[in-house]
Each structure stands twice: as C-alpha cells, then as structure tokens.
Amino acid sequence: MPFLGKDWRSPGWSWTKTEDGWKRIILFGDVLEDNNGEIDLKELCNGNNENLFVGDVCELSTTKRKKDFYNNNTKSQFVFTDKWIYIQKGSTKERHGYCTLGEALNRLDFSSAIQDLRRFNYVAKLFQLIARSQLTSLSGAAQKNYFNILEKIVRKVLEDHYNPRLVKELLQDLSSTLHSLTIHGRCVLVGNVNIWLCRLETIVKWQQELNNLQIPKQMCTGMSFSDLPLHMQNKILYKFSDACDIINLGQATPTLHILSENNTLWKKLCHFHFSDRPFCRTLAITKNDNVDWKLMYFTLQKHYPMKEQYGDTLHFCKHCSILFWKDFGHPCTANDPDSCLMPISPQHFIDLFKF
C-alpha cells in the first residue's frame, strides 16, 4: 500500500533531484518573521556545506524559532468556520476514526455563534458544562480554542452588558474545576502546569472586570416599560422562564414588585419547568389556592433540573449523522429532512461524544 503522507525519507525536509540521486537541501540564513534576535545562519555555519551536522543544527534552530513565534502570536491553532460536522462514533470501511468533543469544539463556528443573541446563552451553557466535567477530555488545541472563545464571550458581556450573571457562573465553575485539577502544583490536564496557573490568573481578572461592571443608565426620551399598561407588563412577565429575571425586574419599581409576587405567575412557572415530573403532575391539577407557588418553585428547583429554553440550538440529523446549526442547514439526502431532525441541548451535545 503506498504511503500517502509526507516524504518518508525525512518528514519536513526539502529534497532536490540531482544526477547522483535525491539530496536534501540545506537551508542557510532563513529570515524569521520576528525581527528580534535574528540569527545569521551563514556566519554560524561558516559557509561550509559539507558540515551536515552544523547544517542540521541551524535548520532545527530556525524551525523551532519559527514555531515559537507562531505559537506566541497566534491565538488559535485551528480556524474553522464550519456550520455542520459529521459525527462518527466508530470506524467503518469508508471512514476511520471517530469525532471527539474537542474536534467538534474546534470545527463548529462557535466564535460567530456568540455574536448572535439567540445562540449566546446556548454556547455559554455548553462551555459551563465543559468547564464542570469535560476539561480533561479536551486536546491541547481544543483547550486553546476553548479559552479563545471564552475570552470573546467575556468581552461581549463587557461591551454589550448581555447576561453577565450566566458568564459569572461559568467563570466560577471553571475556576473551581481548575483549582481542583491543579492541586499542589500538579496538573492532570494537557499542558504545562504553569500555563494553567496563568489561565487561572486570567480567569480571576475576568471575574474582577465583571464584578466591577457598571451598566450605564439609558436616557430614553420615548415610552419606557413602566409606561405600558399594567396588563401588558403582566403579560411580559409571564413570558419569562428564569426566576432570577423576574425577581430582578421586580426590584425596579414598586409596581413591578407587586406584579412579580403574583402567585399565579409562579404557578405558571412551576408548571413550565416541572410539569413532566411525577410529583408535579398532581400539583398541575390541584385547585388549592393556599399553595405558596413561589416557595414551591424554589423547593422543586433543589430536586429537579429546570427546563432549558434557547432562541436557537444545534440540531442533529439522524439520517445523515450530522450536527449543524438549524439556520444554516446541511446537505441532507433524506426524502423528508424535517422528520430526521432532533434539537440538541448542551448536555445532549456532550453526551454525543461519550463512547
């Protein structure tokens, strides 16, 4: 079977064909991209082309300096803008290998996804779940890409003031995980422990920036939320699925505080999040008006996970085994593509890559 990789004689070396056969090209005086600390290889090798050992040292030194320059000045080792990827869980005659969580993290265009408000919460929640339990499964390139996207998430919150509470929880979980994985100066993660200690310092800096975030008061000359009729304000509150948002909004004005304490509002919230639980099915049909539904909500929250709701999510095609953003679609070969689609929650995304 022919070898389809690099030159088998020495991967990475340059060769030229002469009358006496193939000979390796010895490079001298390579110009580095960084002009600091430039080495004059001609003087070092002293023009002696027969001294192959010195030539090898010069070439290896040049390659290493170029690699160090690239790694220090490039934030991401891989730059992909794929809108869909093929999920493979085993080797077949047609395909070898399998898709990992790190590969999906590298290839799917999460950098552009966080710029869309419909997908921001989805990506942030996914990164939070990875921070809690999946950091050790990421490759070095995937870890680098993870922190590059995380930096963009933090910068977006600082610039647009969008959902800082979710990103604070993400950084707190990530910080706790890194502290537990770098005990006594030993790190079980891929990479040098000093790199992870520097990342911990960066996380602490991000947390301080978010804690010091001051959202400026918007000067609106037109109609504001408080100018709306009470029944319209009440209907807007019924659209909220996060209890913290309802409580925070209730602290804005006395009127909103009264609306946010409405027992019927918290009853609807309980039914939305916990109606599929066995214990809560009996609560859904109860007509007892003496139930404190706000207290019931926070009691159920301790025992059951809340229903997640996102503006846009990744979808999985069961026919093609392709993971993709629904707005961009994918090259599906099924007769009825819509019947093969399955929305993927952040937890389900991670479960796809557990083999």
Side-chain angles (χ1 to χ4, degrees):
M1 182 176 179
F3 182 77
L4 303 179
K6 296 181 179 178
D7 197 324
W8 59 270
R9 283 160 290 209
S10 185
W13 288 349
S14 300
W15 295 78
T16 182
K17 189 175 183 179
T18 64
E19 295 179 355
D20 299 328
W22 288 91
K23 290 186 178 181
R24 186 166 63 87
I25 300 176
I26 307 298
L27 302 177
F28 302 97
D30 287 348
V31 179
L32 301 180
E33 286 83 353
D34 57 333
N35 296 323
N36 300 327
E38 188 172 351
I39 301 176
D40 192 348
L41 296 181
K42 289 185 177 180
E43 295 181 2
L44 182 61
C45 297
N46 201 19
N48 186 6
N49 295 343
E50 295 180 358
N51 192 346
L52 298 181
F53 176 75
V54 177
D56 292 345
V57 173
C58 296
E59 184 176 354
L60 290 174
S61 176
T62 302
T63 304
K64 186 177 185 304
R65 289 179 61 82
K66 287 184 177 181
K67 183 179 179 181
D68 291 341
F69 173 82
Y70 178 80
N71 289 337
N72 293 332
N73 292 274
T74 306
K75 285 198 169 184
S76 181
Q77 187 175 353
F78 301 100
V79 179
F80 292 99
T81 58
D82 295 349
K83 307 301 180 184
W84 57 268
I85 59 171
Y86 176 77
I87 303 298
Q88 183 176 350
K89 292 191 175 182
S91 298
T92 62
K93 293 182 178 179
E94 295 79 12
R95 294 176 178 265
H96 294 279
Y98 55 89
C99 185
T100 63
L101 175 63
E103 183 180 355
L105 191 66
N106 283 334
R107 293 186 57 190
L108 284 172
D109 191 11
F110 287 108
S111 296
S112 299
I114 61 176
Q115 304 302 325
D116 190 339
L117 293 182
R118 298 174 303 164
R119 302 174 188 163
F120 181 88
N121 291 346
Y122 182 89
V123 177
K125 184 63 177 180
L126 174 61
F127 273 50
Q128 185 179 18
L129 294 178
I130 293 176
R132 289 176 179 175
S133 60
Q134 300 298 317
L135 277 181
T136 54
S137 66
L138 299 181
S139 64
Q143 291 172 0
K144 195 173 185 179
N145 191 33
Y146 177 89
F147 279 90
N148 292 338
I149 300 175
L150 181 59
E151 181 181 3
K152 294 180 180 179
I153 291 176
V154 175
R155 294 303 163 200
K156 181 172 179 60
V157 174
L158 293 175
E159 293 173 1
D160 299 343
H161 311 128
Y162 181 74
N163 207 344
R165 177 169 54 85
L166 176 59
V167 180
K168 287 180 181 179
E169 295 175 358
L170 163 59
L171 294 179
Q172 181 60 41
D173 291 340
L174 181 58
S175 178
S176 301
T177 302
L178 292 184
H179 277 294
S180 63
L181 295 177
T182 55
I183 301 175
H184 306 303
R186 300 179 60 184
C187 183
V188 297
L189 297 166
V190 176
N192 191 289
V193 64
N194 294 325
I195 296 177
W196 288 103
L197 293 178
C198 291
R199 287 173 175 169
L200 266 174
E201 294 178 357
T202 303
I203 293 172
V204 172
K205 184 187 70 173
W206 289 341
Q207 289 177 320
Q208 292 175 351
E209 291 178 353
L210 290 176
N211 290 332
N212 297 331
L213 179 63
Q214 297 291 335
I215 300 179
K217 184 177 180 180
Q218 297 183 355
M219 303 302 295
C220 182
T221 57
M223 179 177 291
S224 62
F225 180 79
S226 58
D227 296 329
L228 296 175
L230 289 180
H231 71 278
M232 295 184 65
Q233 296 183 29
N234 198 35
K235 284 188 176 181
I236 293 175
L237 280 173
Y238 272 77
K239 300 296 182 180
F240 284 25
S241 61
D242 194 329
C244 293
D245 292 337
I246 295 176
I247 294 174
N248 291 335
L249 184 61
Q251 296 175 354
T253 62
T255 302
L256 289 174
H257 177 71
I258 296 175
L259 294 177
S260 66
E261 294 293 328
N262 188 358
N263 202 37
T264 307
L265 172 64
W266 289 98
K267 181 180 179 180
K268 293 285 186 181
L269 200 62
C270 287
H271 290 172
F272 174 77
H273 286 288
F274 311 110
S275 60
D276 56 338
R277 304 297 172 181
F279 172 73
C280 303
R281 290 173 184 171
T282 58
L283 292 176
I285 59 176
T286 182
K287 296 182 179 180
N288 189 356
D289 296 333
N290 297 326
V291 178
D292 187 346
W293 288 102
K294 184 177 181 180
L295 179 60
M296 179 65 69
Y297 173 84
F298 287 105
T299 303
L300 295 173
Q301 187 185 22
K302 297 178 181 179
H303 302 282
Y304 300 105
M306 293 186 299
K307 185 182 296 184
E308 298 178 358
Q309 191 177 35
Y310 303 101
D312 190 14
T313 65
L314 286 167
H315 280 66
F316 181 73
C317 179
K318 294 180 286 187
H319 177 78
C320 306
S321 296
I322 287 180
L323 188 66
F324 64 98
W325 292 106
K326 187 176 182 181
D327 285 355
F328 297 99
H330 75 288
C332 187
T333 58
N335 295 328
D336 187 9
D338 294 337
S339 62
C340 304
L341 300 185
M342 179 174 61
I344 300 297
S345 66
Q347 183 61 53
H348 194 185
F349 178 91
I350 294 177
D351 294 339
L352 282 176
F353 304 99
K354 290 182 178 179
F355 306 109

